[in-house]
Amino acid sequence: RSRTRGAAGRRTWGDTMSTESPDELERRAELAERAGDLERAIRLRFLAGLLRLDSAGVLRFRPSITGREVSRQVRSIAFDEIATDFDEIVYGGRAPDMDDVRSSRAGWKQVLESVRLESAGKQ
């Protein structure tokens, strides 16, 4: 995993950039998942999560943002696990399975919920 985390710091998400809303990306991720395109589902859900973090003011999304940059800003073990799996699947060529899809969905839910709780605590 340490080798993958190093790669995560150098990789970018630019090839999955979209002008679609996070909700639309989630809808497309669900369709990809039902069609059996699990890697695409994970990619789309990851981008939706990054865009939601941007909307929450946690980070400023740009196509060249790296996993390491996001990790430093989010400071979440759940995000680090999502990013590691993302890198292993998308850049490392590991074939995803339904456990990866479920982990991605649950991990993003946890990351985004913790961001909401943190924001509420600052008010």
Side-chain angles (χ1 to χ4, degrees), residues 2 8 10 13 22 27 29 32 43 46 49 51 58-59 70 73 75 78 93-94 97 101 103-104 113 117:
S2 63
R10 294 186 301 274
W13 325 118
R27 188 187 70 73
R43 278 179 181 261
F46 198 92
L51 293 176
V58 174
L59 58 85
V70 175
Q73 293 176 31
R75 298 176 190 235
R94 177 169 65 84
D97 58 26
V101 172
S103 293
S104 175
E113 183 61 29
L117 290 174

mmCIF file of all heavy atoms in Angstrom, residues 2 8 10 13 22 27 29 32 43 46 49 51 58-59 70 73 75 78 93-94 97 101 103-104 113 117:
data_model
loop_
_atom_site.group_PDB
_atom_site.id
_atom_site.type_symbol
_atom_site.label_atom_id
_atom_site.label_comp_id
_atom_site.label_asym_id
_atom_site.label_seq_id
_atom_site.Cartn_x
_atom_site.Cartn_y
_atom_site.Cartn_z
ATOM 1 N N SER A 2 2.040 1.238 0.620
ATOM 2 C CA SER A 2 2.864 2.445 0.661
ATOM 3 C C SER A 2 3.301 2.858 -0.739
ATOM 4 O O SER A 2 3.361 4.034 -1.047
ATOM 5 C CB SER A 2 4.073 2.250 1.578
ATOM 6 O OG SER A 2 4.904 1.226 1.076
ATOM 7 N N ALA A 8 -0.260 7.766 -5.526
ATOM 8 C CA ALA A 8 -1.458 8.597 -5.385
ATOM 9 C C ALA A 8 -1.089 10.067 -5.327
ATOM 10 O O ALA A 8 -1.841 10.910 -5.797
ATOM 11 C CB ALA A 8 -2.229 8.201 -4.125
ATOM 12 N N ARG A 10 1.156 11.509 -6.983
ATOM 13 C CA ARG A 10 1.581 11.998 -8.295
ATOM 14 C C ARG A 10 0.476 11.916 -9.348
ATOM 15 O O ARG A 10 0.565 12.532 -10.380
ATOM 16 C CB ARG A 10 2.778 11.188 -8.775
ATOM 17 C CG ARG A 10 4.000 11.397 -7.926
ATOM 18 C CD ARG A 10 5.198 10.696 -8.529
ATOM 19 N NE ARG A 10 5.005 9.265 -8.667
ATOM 20 C CZ ARG A 10 5.240 8.363 -7.728
ATOM 21 N NH1 ARG A 10 5.672 8.737 -6.557
ATOM 22 N NH2 ARG A 10 5.067 7.076 -7.971
ATOM 23 N N TRP A 13 -6.653 13.469 -11.478
ATOM 24 C CA TRP A 13 -7.985 12.995 -11.817
ATOM 25 C C TRP A 13 -8.446 13.615 -13.130
ATOM 26 O O TRP A 13 -9.596 13.504 -13.492
ATOM 27 C CB TRP A 13 -8.999 13.358 -10.731
ATOM 28 C CG TRP A 13 -8.455 13.311 -9.350
ATOM 29 C CD1 TRP A 13 -8.354 14.347 -8.482
ATOM 30 C CD2 TRP A 13 -7.921 12.184 -8.664
ATOM 31 N NE1 TRP A 13 -7.798 13.929 -7.312
ATOM 32 C CE2 TRP A 13 -7.514 12.614 -7.386
ATOM 33 C CE3 TRP A 13 -7.731 10.847 -9.012
ATOM 34 C CZ2 TRP A 13 -6.944 11.751 -6.465
ATOM 35 C CZ3 TRP A 13 -7.163 10.000 -8.085
ATOM 36 C CH2 TRP A 13 -6.778 10.451 -6.831
ATOM 37 N N PRO A 22 -22.445 16.594 -9.047
ATOM 38 C CA PRO A 22 -22.172 15.358 -8.302
ATOM 39 C C PRO A 22 -23.345 14.379 -8.334
ATOM 40 O O PRO A 22 -23.142 13.174 -8.438
ATOM 41 C CB PRO A 22 -21.900 15.852 -6.882
ATOM 42 C CG PRO A 22 -21.380 17.238 -7.071
ATOM 43 C CD PRO A 22 -22.150 17.783 -8.246
ATOM 44 N N ARG A 27 -25.560 9.267 -10.400
ATOM 45 C CA ARG A 27 -26.533 8.539 -11.212
ATOM 46 C C ARG A 27 -25.815 7.710 -12.266
ATOM 47 O O ARG A 27 -26.124 6.528 -12.469
ATOM 48 C CB ARG A 27 -27.513 9.521 -11.869
ATOM 49 C CG ARG A 27 -28.678 8.818 -12.570
ATOM 50 C CD ARG A 27 -29.534 9.792 -13.364
ATOM 51 N NE ARG A 27 -28.842 10.295 -14.548
ATOM 52 C CZ ARG A 27 -28.593 9.596 -15.662
ATOM 53 N NH1 ARG A 27 -28.956 8.334 -15.738
ATOM 54 N NH2 ARG A 27 -27.976 10.138 -16.683
ATOM 55 N N ALA A 29 -22.754 6.661 -12.073
ATOM 56 C CA ALA A 29 -22.019 5.599 -11.373
ATOM 57 C C ALA A 29 -22.937 4.411 -11.107
ATOM 58 O O ALA A 29 -22.528 3.253 -11.284
ATOM 59 C CB ALA A 29 -21.435 6.135 -10.062
ATOM 60 N N ALA A 32 -23.390 2.569 -14.366
ATOM 61 C CA ALA A 32 -22.182 1.809 -14.694
ATOM 62 C C ALA A 32 -22.081 0.557 -13.821
ATOM 63 O O ALA A 32 -21.736 -0.527 -14.305
ATOM 64 C CB ALA A 32 -20.939 2.687 -14.511
ATOM 65 N N ARG A 43 -14.696 5.389 -10.544
ATOM 66 C CA ARG A 43 -14.172 6.674 -11.051
ATOM 67 C C ARG A 43 -15.205 7.793 -10.908
ATOM 68 O O ARG A 43 -14.900 8.883 -10.428
ATOM 69 C CB ARG A 43 -13.817 6.565 -12.539
ATOM 70 C CG ARG A 43 -12.509 5.965 -12.854
ATOM 71 C CD ARG A 43 -12.371 5.923 -14.393
ATOM 72 N NE ARG A 43 -11.145 5.341 -14.800
ATOM 73 C CZ ARG A 43 -10.072 6.035 -15.159
ATOM 74 N NH1 ARG A 43 -10.089 7.337 -15.165
ATOM 75 N NH2 ARG A 43 -8.978 5.418 -15.523
ATOM 76 N N PHE A 46 -15.856 8.733 -7.332
ATOM 77 C CA PHE A 46 -14.714 9.455 -6.769
ATOM 78 C C PHE A 46 -14.781 10.919 -7.190
ATOM 79 O O PHE A 46 -14.597 11.830 -6.366
ATOM 80 C CB PHE A 46 -13.402 8.816 -7.245
ATOM 81 C CG PHE A 46 -12.223 9.195 -6.404
ATOM 82 C CD1 PHE A 46 -11.844 8.417 -5.323
ATOM 83 C CD2 PHE A 46 -11.492 10.332 -6.683
ATOM 84 C CE1 PHE A 46 -10.756 8.773 -4.540
ATOM 85 C CE2 PHE A 46 -10.410 10.688 -5.909
ATOM 86 C CZ PHE A 46 -10.041 9.909 -4.831
ATOM 87 N N GLY A 49 -17.444 12.724 -5.320
ATOM 88 C CA GLY A 49 -17.001 13.020 -3.955
ATOM 89 C C GLY A 49 -16.084 14.231 -3.909
ATOM 90 O O GLY A 49 -16.223 15.100 -3.042
ATOM 91 N N LEU A 51 -15.979 16.692 -6.036
ATOM 92 C CA LEU A 51 -16.776 17.894 -6.323
ATOM 93 C C LEU A 51 -17.621 18.292 -5.119
ATOM 94 O O LEU A 51 -17.811 19.481 -4.852
ATOM 95 C CB LEU A 51 -17.643 17.670 -7.557
ATOM 96 C CG LEU A 51 -16.872 17.515 -8.874
ATOM 97 C CD1 LEU A 51 -17.826 17.193 -10.019
ATOM 98 C CD2 LEU A 51 -16.041 18.750 -9.188
ATOM 99 N N VAL A 58 -14.066 22.461 1.432
ATOM 100 C CA VAL A 58 -12.955 21.711 2.016
ATOM 101 C C VAL A 58 -11.719 21.791 1.134
ATOM 102 O O VAL A 58 -10.593 21.824 1.615
ATOM 103 C CB VAL A 58 -13.354 20.242 2.252
ATOM 104 C CG1 VAL A 58 -12.178 19.409 2.731
ATOM 105 C CG2 VAL A 58 -14.516 20.167 3.225
ATOM 106 N N LEU A 59 -11.933 21.820 -0.174
ATOM 107 C CA LEU A 59 -10.825 21.920 -1.113
ATOM 108 C C LEU A 59 -11.301 22.666 -2.346
ATOM 109 O O LEU A 59 -12.491 22.890 -2.524
ATOM 110 C CB LEU A 59 -10.285 20.528 -1.498
ATOM 111 C CG LEU A 59 -11.246 19.530 -2.122
ATOM 112 C CD1 LEU A 59 -11.359 19.715 -3.629
ATOM 113 C CD2 LEU A 59 -10.777 18.127 -1.823
ATOM 114 N N VAL A 70 -5.437 16.183 -1.665
ATOM 115 C CA VAL A 70 -6.760 16.016 -1.065
ATOM 116 C C VAL A 70 -6.617 15.444 0.333
ATOM 117 O O VAL A 70 -7.250 15.917 1.285
ATOM 118 C CB VAL A 70 -7.671 15.127 -1.942
ATOM 119 C CG1 VAL A 70 -9.003 14.868 -1.252
ATOM 120 C CG2 VAL A 70 -7.883 15.760 -3.310
ATOM 121 N N GLN A 73 -5.741 17.986 2.904
ATOM 122 C CA GLN A 73 -6.816 18.921 3.203
ATOM 123 C C GLN A 73 -7.974 18.263 3.949
ATOM 124 O O GLN A 73 -8.570 18.872 4.832
ATOM 125 C CB GLN A 73 -7.313 19.565 1.909
ATOM 126 C CG GLN A 73 -6.261 20.471 1.294
ATOM 127 C CD GLN A 73 -6.689 21.037 -0.040
ATOM 128 O OE1 GLN A 73 -7.860 21.262 -0.278
ATOM 129 N NE2 GLN A 73 -5.727 21.259 -0.926
ATOM 130 N N ARG A 75 -7.846 15.192 5.668
ATOM 131 C CA ARG A 75 -7.360 14.563 6.906
ATOM 132 C C ARG A 75 -8.342 13.516 7.432
ATOM 133 O O ARG A 75 -8.878 13.627 8.527
ATOM 134 C CB ARG A 75 -7.062 15.608 7.973
ATOM 135 C CG ARG A 75 -5.974 16.558 7.556
ATOM 136 C CD ARG A 75 -5.760 17.639 8.570
ATOM 137 N NE ARG A 75 -4.885 18.640 8.026
ATOM 138 C CZ ARG A 75 -3.773 19.046 8.586
ATOM 139 N NH1 ARG A 75 -3.404 18.533 9.742
ATOM 140 N NH2 ARG A 75 -3.027 19.957 8.029
ATOM 141 N N ALA A 78 -10.743 7.502 6.272
ATOM 142 C CA ALA A 78 -11.691 6.951 5.289
ATOM 143 C C ALA A 78 -11.334 7.428 3.885
ATOM 144 O O ALA A 78 -11.358 6.637 2.933
ATOM 145 C CB ALA A 78 -13.118 7.356 5.647
ATOM 146 N N GLY A 93 -4.313 -1.077 -12.134
ATOM 147 C CA GLY A 93 -4.846 -2.170 -12.926
ATOM 148 C C GLY A 93 -5.487 -3.286 -12.132
ATOM 149 O O GLY A 93 -5.783 -4.348 -12.680
ATOM 150 N N ARG A 94 -5.715 -3.066 -10.835
ATOM 151 C CA ARG A 94 -6.380 -4.112 -10.047
ATOM 152 C C ARG A 94 -7.850 -4.172 -10.451
ATOM 153 O O ARG A 94 -8.529 -3.149 -10.517
ATOM 154 C CB ARG A 94 -6.268 -3.811 -8.545
ATOM 155 C CG ARG A 94 -7.001 -4.825 -7.690
ATOM 156 C CD ARG A 94 -6.680 -4.707 -6.215
ATOM 157 N NE ARG A 94 -7.107 -3.490 -5.572
ATOM 158 C CZ ARG A 94 -8.332 -3.272 -5.075
ATOM 159 N NH1 ARG A 94 -9.282 -4.181 -5.200
ATOM 160 N NH2 ARG A 94 -8.602 -2.149 -4.462
ATOM 161 N N ASP A 97 -14.079 -5.342 -7.573
ATOM 162 C CA ASP A 97 -15.210 -6.231 -7.357
ATOM 163 C C ASP A 97 -16.288 -5.453 -6.602
ATOM 164 O O ASP A 97 -16.113 -4.279 -6.296
ATOM 165 C CB ASP A 97 -14.797 -7.510 -6.625
ATOM 166 C CG ASP A 97 -14.156 -7.259 -5.268
ATOM 167 O OD1 ASP A 97 -14.442 -6.210 -4.640
ATOM 168 O OD2 ASP A 97 -13.379 -8.112 -4.822
ATOM 169 N N VAL A 101 -16.779 -1.508 -4.751
ATOM 170 C CA VAL A 101 -17.862 -0.556 -5.020
ATOM 171 C C VAL A 101 -18.560 -0.187 -3.716
ATOM 172 O O VAL A 101 -18.807 0.991 -3.438
ATOM 173 C CB VAL A 101 -18.850 -1.130 -6.053
ATOM 174 C CG1 VAL A 101 -20.079 -0.242 -6.204
ATOM 175 C CG2 VAL A 101 -18.158 -1.326 -7.391
ATOM 176 N N SER A 103 -17.331 -0.405 -0.679
ATOM 177 C CA SER A 103 -16.388 0.351 0.147
ATOM 178 C C SER A 103 -16.294 1.802 -0.303
ATOM 179 O O SER A 103 -16.223 2.717 0.518
ATOM 180 C CB SER A 103 -14.989 -0.281 0.106
ATOM 181 O OG SER A 103 -14.991 -1.520 0.728
ATOM 182 N N SER A 104 -16.297 2.008 -1.614
ATOM 183 C CA SER A 104 -16.251 3.364 -2.153
ATOM 184 C C SER A 104 -17.494 4.147 -1.733
ATOM 185 O O SER A 104 -17.395 5.277 -1.246
ATOM 186 C CB SER A 104 -16.141 3.309 -3.680
ATOM 187 O OG SER A 104 -16.217 4.595 -4.235
ATOM 188 N N GLU A 113 -20.031 12.944 5.496
ATOM 189 C CA GLU A 113 -20.723 13.162 6.773
ATOM 190 C C GLU A 113 -19.787 13.833 7.779
ATOM 191 O O GLU A 113 -20.196 14.742 8.492
ATOM 192 C CB GLU A 113 -21.258 11.846 7.325
ATOM 193 C CG GLU A 113 -22.055 12.006 8.601
ATOM 194 C CD GLU A 113 -23.304 12.871 8.450
ATOM 195 O OE1 GLU A 113 -23.884 12.932 7.360
ATOM 196 O OE2 GLU A 113 -23.699 13.504 9.451
ATOM 197 N N LEU A 117 -20.382 17.391 9.677
ATOM 198 C CA LEU A 117 -20.337 17.531 11.131
ATOM 199 C C LEU A 117 -19.303 18.576 11.539
ATOM 200 O O LEU A 117 -19.549 19.380 12.439
ATOM 201 C CB LEU A 117 -20.026 16.185 11.785
ATOM 202 C CG LEU A 117 -21.130 15.143 11.719
ATOM 203 C CD1 LEU A 117 -20.627 13.813 12.266
ATOM 204 C CD2 LEU A 117 -22.368 15.611 12.473
#
